[in-house]
Amino acid sequence: GVVADLLSLTVLAVVTSTAVIDVQPELRIEATTPDPTLPIWIGAPLLVAFSFWLLPRIAEWFFVKVGHSRTQRFVFALAGMAAAASMALLGGLEGLIGAFLAGLGLNALIPARSALMERLDFVGGAIFVPAFLVSIGLAIDPRALIQLDTIILAVFFTALVVVGKSVAAGITGSIFKLSFSEIALMASLSAGQAASTLAIAQVGVSLGLFGQNVVNAAILTVVVTAFITSYGTRFFSQKVERPPLAEKPLGDSVLVDVRPLGSDLAGLMAVAGAIARTDRGVVVPYLVPATGQLDVARNRLERATAAAAETGHDVTPEIRVDDSFAAGTLGLVEETDASCLILSWKGPRLSTDFMFGNEVDLIGERSPIPTVAARVLRPWDRIVVVTGESRTEWNAEDTLLALVVAKRIRGNKTTPMLIITTDPAGLPERVSQWENVEVRQTPSDQRELSKIIGRDDLAVVPVHAIGVSRVRTPWRIAHQYRDTSSIIVAGPHRLSVSGTSVPRNVHGIVNPVEDAPVPI
């Protein structure tokens, strides 16, 4: 739909920039299209470069350096769209084309489920579009809608829409082997084009390309196609087989524990934001305060929100009052429909963790979503991924998950990355295409890792790689890295930082190396 809108707006841009009506003194018709400041072959490329290259970079700088509040970011987004609209006018294009392209350019920087996106949606859908429709309605004489020439023209427009959408849906259905009900549903969904149809009609009238009767007929067409969309969709949707539920993207909603357990708060929020940004997800910092600690929790969440804002992320903090931290966390996983859980972690504690367990294990083995134990002590100069041995499907799945998390945290391609693996040939093919990545064989003596992983590295490790057995205490080696930032990654029901855990739910898992459910 977005591609179709973009192409149709491009056609409108070409038409409106080249349409000039000759002066005919006897009919008193004057040219209505002024000469643009720039020709379209210059204005259009400049508009695209501004919307997709310059504006996103300015926005990212603004969100990090200046605009930490949603109000500031909201005003900036509106100003960016207005600037793109003005640039479009300089090239002889309609302003709505520039605003549309600016919205596409800013899309990746504004999480889809964030409060900022809700405000922009409200302004666009609840204010601008109704105001535009009202302005169109006020400019029309209702009696003109029932005139014979208007009705004939509306019938022609409606037939053009229905036939055009049906043919397009039929071609698409034949390519993708869709059923008749699916093709009909597609045609019904695409029939309603209220705002865009009227916008194009109004632009044409303002340019003098056609008369007011076209706008009158377009209104009748909009009404008819709206009924077709409403009732056609409802009818054919009941005949279409319900598709299987798709797995949620890893970064759709990242729930992050911000307890003061030694991690640098800014670094912890940067990790959560990096995981969420790829999927335009939202970060949800949370706390489950003890009795009498509500004000302390609120202060901590305010600091977490400020830290996230300084890195350009939009967050939605949550406070959960519950019987225990574990119960509150698992409850928030369900309530927020989280896709990934990040737990603050004190690091390896040999005696207490192995003998008595800890909250990370208690939650990690019950968490129904991918879970991360994070200990971020300082900014990192390099990311090191230790994959371990992928002996089972769930081992391979966690290895892939660790690679995905590391790549997202890395962000730009300038940060060095080292992958230490027992089988370099067994890594996913796409990993070999990453830039500035070094792959090494796992040393036979595990103690050699202490010479490879430095204090200023960030170690990302799948849970199965931190230990070998219950007999050989897994943290004998990890104890060497007690001053190194580390992230332990595990799939649902598998995170146990006190030793090698047995997966609680491995039935039906696909081979993640061949059919990766999480996109790299």
Side-chain angles (χ1 to χ4, degrees):
V2 173
V3 173
D5 283 343
L6 186 59
L7 293 176
S8 61
L9 286 174
T10 303
V11 174
L12 178 64
V14 174
V15 171
T16 57
S17 64
T18 57
V20 178
I21 298 178
D22 295 332
V23 177
Q24 300 183 33
E26 64 277 8
L27 298 179
R28 295 183 180 180
I29 300 177
E30 299 181 356
T32 57
T33 304
D35 293 333
T37 305
L38 298 172
I40 188 173
W41 59 273
I42 294 179
L46 286 178
L47 176 61
V48 171
F50 174 79
S51 300
F52 293 106
W53 184 81
L54 183 59
L55 183 59
R57 283 163 173 75
I58 297 175
E60 190 169 9
W61 174 86
F62 180 85
F63 287 179
V64 173
K65 300 295 184 182
V66 181
H68 293 169
S69 71
R70 291 196 184 105
T71 301
Q72 292 171 318
R73 294 178 179 181
F74 175 79
V75 173
F76 177 87
L78 294 184
M81 295 178 190
S86 300
M87 182 167 290
L89 293 173
L90 290 177
L93 309 178
E94 281 299 313
L96 63 90
I97 299 174
F100 180 80
L101 294 179
L104 291 179
L106 294 173
N107 186 281
L109 297 176
I110 303 176
R113 297 173 56 180
S114 66
L116 178 59
M117 182 62 78
E118 291 177 355
R119 285 160 172 75
L120 290 171
D121 285 343
F122 171 77
V123 171
I127 296 180
F128 285 162
V129 172
F132 169 73
L133 296 178
V134 169
S135 67
I136 293 292
L138 292 175
I140 292 175
D141 183 358
R143 292 174 295 181
L145 298 178
I146 58 175
Q147 294 178 355
L148 182 60
D149 60 338
T150 301
I151 296 176
I152 293 175
L153 197 56
V155 171
F156 173 75
F157 286 168
T158 303
L160 194 63
V161 170
V162 172
V163 172
K165 300 296 183 181
S166 299
V167 170
I171 294 174
T172 305
S174 63
I175 294 174
F176 293 99
K177 304 297 188 291
L178 303 180
S179 67
F180 172 78
S181 296
E182 290 172 325
I183 294 174
L185 179 61
M186 187 189 310
S188 299
L189 283 170
S190 60
Q193 303 285 335
S196 58
T197 301
L198 288 177
I200 292 175
Q202 191 65 17
V203 169
V205 169
S206 65
L207 293 175
L209 295 179
F210 39 73
Q212 183 66 34
N213 62 325
V214 173
V215 177
N216 299 341
I219 289 180
L220 293 182
T221 302
V222 165
V223 173
V224 174
T225 54
F227 277 105
I228 293 175
T229 295
S230 299
Y231 291 98
T233 302
R234 189 175 305 173
F235 177 79
F236 289 108
S237 62
Q238 298 175 357
K239 299 181 178 296
V240 174
E241 182 179 356
R242 185 179 298 273
L245 293 177
E247 292 192 26
K248 292 187 63 176
L250 179 66
D252 183 72
S253 178
V254 180
L255 194 62
V256 53
D257 162 29
V258 294
R259 290 176 298 169
L261 297 180
S263 287
D264 175 66
L265 187 58
L268 187 65
M269 296 306 297
V271 167
I275 294 175
R277 171 165 286 183
T278 302
D279 299 312
R280 296 181 58 236
V282 64
V283 177
V284 184
Y286 78 96
L287 283 172
V288 184
T291 304
Q293 298 294 310
L294 191 59
D295 290 339
V296 176
R298 286 173 177 159
N299 180 265
R300 179 74 176 175
L301 285 176
E302 288 177 0
R303 292 175 55 198
T305 302
E310 290 174 358
T311 56
H313 300 293
D314 187 77
V315 302
T316 306
E318 291 279 355
I319 291 182
R320 171 81 181 215
V321 178
D322 214 317
D323 295 334
S324 66
F325 177 78
T329 297
L330 295 173
L332 276 174
V333 168
E334 298 290 338
E335 291 179 11
T336 60
D337 194 22
S339 59
C340 178
L341 173 63
I342 300 178
L343 297 172
S344 292
W345 177 46
K346 293 181 179 179
R349 300 168 65 87
L350 182 60
S351 58
T352 56
D353 284 358
F354 187 71
M355 296 182 63
F356 303 107
N358 55 59
E359 286 183 316
V360 172
D361 288 4
L362 181 64
I363 297 170
E365 295 179 352
R366 290 167 173 77
S367 172
I369 59 176
T371 307
V372 174
R375 185 170 184 256
V376 185
L377 302 178
R378 63 188 67 85
W380 53 88
D381 297 330
R382 182 179 64 167
I383 297 176
V384 180
V385 184
V386 183
T387 65
E389 296 184 5
S390 299
R391 297 178 178 177
T392 64
E393 288 185 352
W394 66 273
N395 284 162
E397 186 181 50
D398 287 349
T399 296
L400 181 62
L401 191 61
L403 290 169
V404 170
V405 169
K407 184 175 185 295
R408 294 189 178 202
I409 294 174
R410 185 189 186 200
N412 60 62
K413 300 176 182 179
T414 59
T415 304
M417 178 184 289
L418 171 63
I419 300 177
I420 302 175
T421 178
T422 56
D423 182 17
L427 291 174
E429 183 178 352
R430 284 166 288 183
V431 175
S432 62
Q433 300 174 359
W434 295 353
E435 297 181 11
N436 199 18
V437 174
E438 179 186 0
V439 179
R440 294 188 193 177
Q441 184 88 24
T442 303
S444 55
D445 186 351
Q446 296 289 327
R447 289 174 294 184
E448 292 294 319
L449 286 174
S450 61
K451 301 177 182 179
I452 300 175
I453 303 177
R455 180 177 180 272
D456 294 325
D457 291 335
L458 174 64
V460 182
V461 185
V463 68
H464 64 267
I466 64 175
V468 179
S469 67
R470 293 287 186 181
V471 177
R472 181 185 179 193
T473 306
W475 290 119
R476 286 180 181 175
I477 298 171
H479 190 65
Q480 301 175 30
Y481 313 116
R482 58 185 178 274
D483 197 35
T484 302
S485 298
S486 52
I487 291 178
I488 311 300
V489 180
H493 305 285
R494 291 201 291 266
L495 181 63
S496 176
V497 296
S498 60
T500 304
S501 62
V502 178
R504 297 281 197 270
N505 181 20
V506 297
H507 299 291
I509 294 178
V510 297
N511 186 335
V513 177
E514 297 177 358
D515 305 301
V518 182
I520 295 182

